[in-house]
């Protein structure tokens, strides 16, 4: 068996380990679903009428506003998985299991690969559940199968990028508690973009930040693919942000993993 084949086999073993952890301890996975669903229900039923009335081109009423807000909440679900990844990696680092793995004849890359792929799978399942809830309460996208595939591909690339970043956060965090707090800005950053209201309605300083932060072009691309709104250059900008964040996260996590594990 070649070196690459051994690395793939070891990574699959680590992936099965992480998925079994998720099945035995589903609380963290459920938290990825619960918060976006609560936000979706809150903004649709409590604030949907007022916010929907203020959005140009959207008729008053929750049924119209949910078509605007649902893509932003779906992206929020994609970011929520970062907390799960950071905590999982940090627990393994602080409990000494990584030192144990290093004494065994397994690929050095398998530990991070298993964590990242497992977290991407769990987050995609959470995103699917959030989309299901949105459809159940009135979200009506008119995307074609190709546009759905493009939307899923964009979400997968974003989740992969955020997972590598959060793996780096988990590797450098001193405790699981600090690891759970580190990715929270990623979770709430979509609120400072176009997830809830258009950036045109924001004050000048906040609008500038919202238009140039990484999540706004991803939200606009997702909304355009699902609802048929204009995408413009947001698609290219979104892909560039996702690729850049993935590269930075991968290099950071790989560098942090070379340091000795803490006990």
């Amino acid at each position: 068996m070649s070196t690459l084949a051994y690395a793939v086999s070891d990574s699959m073993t680590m992936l099965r380990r992480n998925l079994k952890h998720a099945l035995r301890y589903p609380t963290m996975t459920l938290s990825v679903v619960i918060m976006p669903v609560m936000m979706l229900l809150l903004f649709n039923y409590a604030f949907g009428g007022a916010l929907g009335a203020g959005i140009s081109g959207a008729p008053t009423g929750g049924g119209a506003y949910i078509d605007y807000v649902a893509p932003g909440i779906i992206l929020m679900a994609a970011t929520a998985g970062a907390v799960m990844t950071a905590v999982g990696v940090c627990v393994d680092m602080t409990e000494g299991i990584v030192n144990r793995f290093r004494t065994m004849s397994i690929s050095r890359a398998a530990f991070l690969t298993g964590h990242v792929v497992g977290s991407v799978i769990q987050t995609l399942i959470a995103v699917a559940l959030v989309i299901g809830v949105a459809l159940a309460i009135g979200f009506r996208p008119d995307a074609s199968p190709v546009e759905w595939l493009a939307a899923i591909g964009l979400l997968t690339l974003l989740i992969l990028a955020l997972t590598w970043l959060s793996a780096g956060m988990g590797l450098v965090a001193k405790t699981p508690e600090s690891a759970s707090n580190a990715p929270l800005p990623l979770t709430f950053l979509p609120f400072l973009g176009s997830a809830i209201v258009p950036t045109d309605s924001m004050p000048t300083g906040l609008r500038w930040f919202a238009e140039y932060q990484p999540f706004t072009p991803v939200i606009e691309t997702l909304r355009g693919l699902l609802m048929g709104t204009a995408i413009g250059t947001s698609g290219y900008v979104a892909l560039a942000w996702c690729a850049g964040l993935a590269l930075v996260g991968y290099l950071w996590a790989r560098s942090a993993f070379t340091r000795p594990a803490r006990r």
Side-chain angles (χ1 to χ4, degrees):
M1 186 179 290
S2 66
T3 302
L4 178 60
Y6 275 119
V8 172
S9 176
D10 292 341
S11 297
M12 291 300 296
T13 301
M14 291 295 175
L15 174 60
R16 286 196 297 272
R17 169 182 177 268
N18 288 307
L19 293 180
K20 285 182 178 179
H21 268 279
L23 290 174
R24 291 176 181 175
Y25 307 101
T27 305
M28 187 63 73
T29 304
L30 290 176
S31 68
V32 177
V33 179
I34 291 174
M35 186 172 67
V37 168
M38 293 298 292
M39 291 294 179
L40 182 64
L41 298 177
L42 177 67
F43 280 101
N44 183 51
Y45 291 117
F47 307 134
L51 293 175
I55 296 176
S56 176
T60 302
Y65 181 64
I66 191 172
D67 287 338
Y68 180 88
V69 76
I73 299 297
I74 291 169
L75 182 136
M76 182 182 174
T79 63
V83 176
M84 173 178 59
T85 307
V87 172
V89 171
C90 185
V91 167
D92 280 347
M93 289 293 289
T94 54
E95 290 186 348
I97 188 66
V98 175
N99 280 338
R100 176 62 178 140
F101 288 149
R102 282 169 170 161
T103 65
M104 302 169 65
S105 179
I106 61 176
S107 168
R108 293 289 296 262
F111 171 75
L112 284 179
T113 302
H115 261 294
V116 169
V117 176
S119 295
V120 169
I121 293 173
Q122 293 175 66
T123 307
L124 282 173
I125 293 173
V127 168
L129 293 174
V130 173
I131 292 175
V133 173
L135 293 172
I137 64 174
F139 179 45
R140 293 295 178 265
D142 58 2
S144 66
V146 173
E147 289 170 329
W148 270 108
L149 286 176
I152 294 170
L154 176 62
L155 285 171
T156 303
L157 183 58
L158 175 67
I159 293 170
L160 179 65
L162 297 180
T163 301
W164 275 115
L165 276 178
S166 56
M169 294 176 187
L171 288 168
V172 301
K174 294 182 179 179
T175 64
E177 289 77 15
S178 60
S180 67
N181 294 328
L184 287 181
L186 296 175
T187 303
F188 289 99
L189 204 54
F191 287 108
L192 300 179
S194 62
I196 307 302
V197 295
T199 57
D200 294 343
S201 64
M202 300 176 180
T204 304
L206 181 58
R207 182 172 69 245
W208 183 90
F209 176 80
E211 290 176 347
Y212 290 98
Q213 62 123 317
F215 290 118
T216 293
V218 179
I219 295 171
E220 292 304 313
T221 304
L222 194 61
R223 187 173 287 130
L225 290 170
L226 297 181
M227 302 306 303
T229 57
I231 295 178
T233 59
S234 294
Y236 300 109
V237 178
L239 290 175
W241 269 115
C242 291
L245 291 174
L247 179 62
V248 170
Y250 169 75
L251 294 176
W252 182 28
R254 192 181 68 170
S255 174
F257 187 64
T258 58
R259 298 184 306 178
R262 301 177 298 276
R263 297 186 64 86

